[in-house]
Amino acid sequence: MLQADGGTRTAAITGSWVALRLAVAGMVKSGLLSAIPLTDSVAAVSCGLVQGAPVLDLDYGEDSGADADANFVLTGQGRIVEVQATAERAVFGDAELAAMLALARKGIGELTQLQRQATGL
């Protein structure tokens, strides 16, 4: 069962990379591929501004009452794949976006380590 609260999309992205990596490794082991073609991992997190403060991995209550929310998808090397941010109750500026990105980098760094553990890297 998927337990993702307000971050089902980000959880799906992060978990899908693990499934892909395991599937490709199985294809190499069975001889269908000569090498793993993946060059990096990918993971995603949600962040938001709750009462003006940046928060990582919003739960449903935080997400539904957030001033702003964002989803960040980054590679394992920290390169940006996608940033989606929306002002919900209040507009925000560059500093708040940078604070959410910094939290996202921290969270995705932790997820990348867990992905590596799960796939035997």
Side-chain angles (χ1 to χ4, degrees):
M1 175 168 62
L2 178 64
Q3 176 65 39
D5 293 324
T8 52
R9 179 175 175 266
T10 59
I13 290 168
T14 303
S16 293
W17 184 85
V18 172
L20 175 63
R21 176 64 171 80
L22 292 172
V24 170
M27 293 172 78
V28 169
K29 187 174 182 178
S30 71
L32 292 171
L33 291 174
S34 60
I36 294 176
L38 304 175
T39 59
D40 202 353
S41 62
V42 66
V45 294
S46 65
C47 294
L49 297 173
V50 178
Q51 297 179 350
V55 176
L56 176 65
D57 193 25
L58 302 169
D59 64 23
Y60 180 79
E62 291 166 331
D63 187 49
S64 62
D67 298 328
D69 68 1
N71 294 311
F72 296 87
V73 184
L74 305 176
T75 68
Q77 295 177 8
R79 306 280 295 165
I80 295 171
V81 175
E82 178 183 4
V83 176
Q84 177 276 317
T86 305
E88 299 288 345
R89 298 183 190 279
V91 297
F92 57 94
D94 292 353
E96 291 90 356
L97 182 61
M100 288 189 287
L101 178 57
L103 277 178
R105 288 189 184 286
K106 179 182 182 296
I108 288 176
E110 293 174 16
L111 289 172
T112 297
Q113 290 302 317
L114 292 170
Q115 287 176 318
R116 289 176 191 215
Q117 291 173 10
T119 59
L121 293 177

